[in-house]
Amino acid sequence: MGRRRGFFAEMQHQARLAEQRQRAAQRQRDAAIRRAEQARRAEERARLAAQRASEAERKRLEREAAAAHVEAMQAEVNQRNATLEAEYDRLDNLLAATLEVDDYVDLERLRRAVQHPPFDPKGLDAPLPQPIPIQDPPEPVRMPVEKPTGLFGRKKKLEEATIRAEAAFAEAYRRWQLELQELPRRRQAQIDQYQIAEQARKDALAKERAAYDKACAKREKEVLEHNKALDELIANLGYGTEEAVQQYIGIVLANSVYPENFEVDSEFDFNSETAELSLRVQIPDPSQIPTIKAYRYVKASDEITSAPLSQKASKDRYAEVVQQVALRSLHEVFEADRRGLIQSISLEIGTETADPATGKDTYLPFVAVGASREKFLEVDLKAVVPSATLEYLGASVSRNPFGLVAAKVKGIRGS
């Protein structure tokens, strides 16, 4: 056999699993947060009140704190029991869950459309601000010479001061002229520096745009290839080719998501000459199914304990699960195949586990049945007892799958 999920089936399966896990995780987080917050607030209120109270009042508040703790523990027990009950309910209604939905898969819903995120220029789309032009330096101005004071040598002092002032002015004027001569070079350097920075911005923007365009082209190519493969699948399914039928059945089975802690895997092969699908469904072994009857809080030890299910209850539940998976698998394939390309199904339901006789990993079949489309569609699954339906179909069924007793499989053919 050996045929497993293909590309489209795996894509569908992972999407459904992700949705299921997200919902379950959110429910658990919300419940845990509520319980923890309620218990924390109750105990904190009691503790703070006890600290402020008198001795007599403190004893009363301590009793209230203890009562609040017991109440919080009981709330935890109730939550665990509710979760356990919900898990059992999902296992006990594996068949009913699929009868509520149409298992036909409209392949057009797998078609993709290209969705590009908006281009992020990362601030590179705005031109750099123009630099402030370098202004001409102010021309030096002759400063008036301050007249000397005193009774003697004023003329000489004035001449010397004048000479010094003229020399300072001449030096300032010389430097001013040199600065004027340097201005064109400085202004050109400023322009060059700006243009280099602006060109670097444009180059960086072009690089970002090229990377974005490349990513867009990759997305468009992936969507084009995906839709092309989908078109081929739809066309080939119209001709009833073996490969197309197998791909479609892979999508159907991948679309059938079981409870979160009950992972199911399938292998299948379609023979177009006989119009028969050989299907093997692997389910968790009995050790992965809960065997707790209920939780309870023991006040004396301040612990939450659990009571086990009876051996008979565990045995009966697992046998019922196996039988429901068998009927569910037949139903989902036949209902999804509206064109009637599959006329019979050769089905095995089993588990991979350690052989109780040898201790080695082995596959143990629990149900083996061959069902024709015509005979199976006569059955009203909403009103059946799964064990009776399997007997009606001539199935080989394990007398004790919970004890890892394999069914006696001699050969399976649709009838």
Side-chain angles (χ1 to χ4, degrees), residues 330-337 342 344-345 371-373 376-377:
L330 294 170
H331 166 77
E332 288 174 341
V333 172
F334 280 136
E335 183 175 68
D337 177 25
I342 299 170
S344 63
I345 299 175
S372 68
R373 169 182 287 272
F376 185 79
L377 293 183

Side-chain angles (χ1 to χ4, degrees), residues 253-269:
L253 296 176
N255 208 38
S256 175
V257 178
Y258 282 77
E260 184 178 6
N261 298 322
F262 190 85
E263 185 174 352
V264 171
D265 198 12
S266 304
E267 297 181 14
F268 47 89
D269 190 61

Side-chain angles (χ1 to χ4, degrees), residues 173-245:
Y173 194 81
R174 184 185 68 80
R175 292 180 179 177
W176 175 72
Q177 287 183 317
L178 290 176
E179 195 171 349
L180 285 179
Q181 294 172 8
E182 187 69 11
L183 272 181
R185 185 195 66 78
R186 290 178 59 201
R187 286 170 176 162
Q188 187 60 49
Q190 184 186 50
I191 294 172
D192 292 344
Q193 185 177 11
Y194 170 78
Q195 290 177 343
I196 290 172
E198 179 64 6
Q199 187 59 49
R201 178 195 68 80
K202 292 178 180 178
D203 292 344
L205 179 61
K207 186 177 180 180
E208 291 292 334
R209 171 60 71 174
Y212 174 77
D213 292 341
K214 183 178 179 180
C216 289
K218 181 180 178 182
R219 281 187 289 270
E220 289 171 357
K221 181 181 178 182
E222 289 174 349
V223 169
L224 181 64
E225 291 175 349
H226 173 93
N227 290 339
K228 181 180 178 181
L230 182 62
D231 287 335
E232 292 177 358
L233 172 59
I234 293 173
N236 290 335
L237 189 62
Y239 293 115
T241 65
E242 288 186 358
E243 181 64 27
V245 172

Side-chain angles (χ1 to χ4, degrees), residues 377-406:
L377 293 183
E378 292 175 353
V379 177
D380 181 3
L381 292 177
K382 294 181 179 179
V384 303
V385 175
S387 60
T389 304
L390 290 173
E391 183 179 356
Y392 166 74
L393 295 173
S396 298
V397 181
S398 165
R399 68 180 187 275
N400 182 14
F402 186 78
L404 299 179
V405 176

Side-chain angles (χ1 to χ4, degrees), residues 42-318:
E43 291 196 59
E44 182 67 14
R45 285 196 302 268
R47 184 184 65 80
L48 292 175
Q51 291 176 352
R52 295 192 299 265
S54 64
E55 184 63 25
E57 185 70 7
R58 182 177 294 117
K59 289 182 179 180
R60 182 183 66 81
L61 292 172
E62 286 174 352
R63 289 194 299 271
E64 291 182 1
H69 174 71
V70 171
E71 185 177 347
M73 295 295 282
Q74 189 58 51
E76 173 69 18
V77 167
N78 294 340
Q79 178 62 38
R80 290 192 189 185
N81 284 330
T83 300
L84 185 65
E85 183 179 349
E87 186 170 359
Y88 283 148
D89 183 69
R90 287 190 290 271
L91 289 174
D92 295 341
N93 290 281
L94 289 175
L95 179 58
T98 196
L99 298 179
E100 296 174 355
V101 298
D102 184 355
D103 295 299
Y104 171 75
V105 178
D106 181 3
L107 295 179
E108 284 294 339
R109 297 182 64 180
L110 300 181
R111 193 172 299 282
R112 290 180 176 177
V114 182
Q115 294 183 337
H116 297 306
F119 173 63
D120 180 10
K122 298 180 179 178
L124 296 170
D125 52 333
L128 298 176
Q130 292 281 350
I132 299 175
I134 300 174
Q135 300 297 315
D136 289 349
E139 182 177 352
V141 178
R142 279 188 174 85
M143 301 300 294
V145 179
E146 187 176 345
K147 293 182 179 181
T149 58
L151 298 175
F152 305 101
R154 285 186 294 178
K155 182 176 180 181
K156 185 178 180 180
K157 291 178 182 178
L158 180 60
E159 289 175 353
E160 291 174 350
T162 301
I163 292 172
R164 288 195 299 271
E166 285 296 324
F169 173 76
E171 178 60 21
Y173 194 81
R174 184 185 68 80
R175 292 180 179 177
W176 175 72
Q177 287 183 317
L178 290 176
E179 195 171 349
L180 285 179
Q181 294 172 8
E182 187 69 11
L183 272 181
R185 185 195 66 78
R186 290 178 59 201
R187 286 170 176 162
Q188 187 60 49
Q190 184 186 50
I191 294 172
D192 292 344
Q193 185 177 11
Y194 170 78
Q195 290 177 343
I196 290 172
E198 179 64 6
Q199 187 59 49
R201 178 195 68 80
K202 292 178 180 178
D203 292 344
L205 179 61
K207 186 177 180 180
E208 291 292 334
R209 171 60 71 174
Y212 174 77
D213 292 341
K214 183 178 179 180
C216 289
K218 181 180 178 182
R219 281 187 289 270
E220 289 171 357
K221 181 181 178 182
E222 289 174 349
V223 169
L224 181 64
E225 291 175 349
H226 173 93
N227 290 339
K228 181 180 178 181
L230 182 62
D231 287 335
E232 292 177 358
L233 172 59
I234 293 173
N236 290 335
L237 189 62
Y239 293 115
T241 65
E242 288 186 358
E243 181 64 27
V245 172
Q246 287 175 166
Q247 282 195 59
Y248 177 70
I249 294 305
I251 295 171
V252 171
L253 296 176
N255 208 38
S256 175
V257 178
Y258 282 77
E260 184 178 6
N261 298 322
F262 190 85
E263 185 174 352
V264 171
D265 198 12
S266 304
E267 297 181 14
F268 47 89
D269 190 61
F270 176 65
N271 187 325
S272 59
E273 294 182 1
T274 62
E276 180 168 283
L277 179 75
S278 297
L279 174 61
R280 172 182 284 185
V281 179
Q282 184 173 312
I283 65 174
D285 67 38
S287 67
Q288 300 179 55
I289 305 300
T291 57
I292 296 172
K293 182 178 181 180
Y295 293 96
R296 69 187 186 93
Y297 171 58
V298 181
K299 188 175 180 181
S301 60
D302 193 30
E303 291 179 336
I304 295 176
T305 62
S306 61
L309 280 172
S310 67
Q311 184 79 0
K312 183 180 185 305
S314 296
K315 179 179 176 181
D316 291 347
R317 171 170 278 121
Y318 190 72

